[in-house]
Amino acid sequence: MAIIFLKADIFNNVETRDVQELHCGRLATAHGCDIQRTIIADRADPIPWTLKEAVGLGYRVLITFSLAHIDFRAPEILERCGLLVGHPYGWYHRGHTGSIAGMSMVRTRH
């Protein structure tokens, strides 16, 4: 069971919602994921809600078009479920602590 997560403010004339959602759907199919829900987020911080849904409803994989759609918060997501990213492509299982294409897994300290 999988969930697609996209942020509306990242869509543009070339990579529209339809194009990005279709790409995520094809990724899901290629990896044998059954999409249960698609969330198109607004400007409010949706990630904790999405993670709560993913854990609470039994989603095993969060699928997104790019890391920007999840605000580069892959480490948080991977603590709770798998992550499938379209660009740059990456398939990461829950608990993954290695490198992720397009970002560093090192958390900054504040």
Side-chain angles (χ1 to χ4, degrees):
M1 292 176 25
I3 187 171
I4 293 175
F5 183 85
L6 300 169
K7 284 176 64 176
D9 60 346
I10 296 181
F11 303 142
N12 59 49
N13 293 337
V14 176
E15 294 174 340
T16 64
R17 172 187 173 167
D18 292 341
V19 168
Q20 292 186 27
E21 195 170 349
L22 178 64
H23 184 77
C24 290
R26 288 181 176 166
L27 277 173
T29 299
H31 288 278
C33 297
D34 180 24
I35 298 171
Q36 298 294 308
R37 186 173 196 174
T38 297
I39 293 177
I40 307 298
D42 57 21
R43 292 188 176 263
D45 184 13
I47 297 297
W49 180 85
T50 300
L51 292 176
K52 181 179 178 183
E53 289 291 312
V55 172
L57 297 178
Y59 295 112
R60 294 185 182 149
V61 180
L62 187 143
I63 303 167
T64 193
F65 186 75
S66 69
L67 294 171
H69 282 281
I70 57 168
D71 295 326
F72 298 89
R73 293 165 73 175
E76 290 177 45
I77 292 168
L78 289 168
E79 289 174 4
R80 301 179 184 241
C81 64
L83 177 63
L84 183 53
V85 181
H87 296 283
Y89 170 77
W91 172 231
Y92 309 98
H93 295 278
R94 179 180 179 193
H96 177 84
T97 58
S99 64
I100 289 186
M103 72 173 290
S104 169
M105 290 296 287
V106 177
R107 293 182 190 220
T108 58
R109 295 182 183 214
H110 297 288

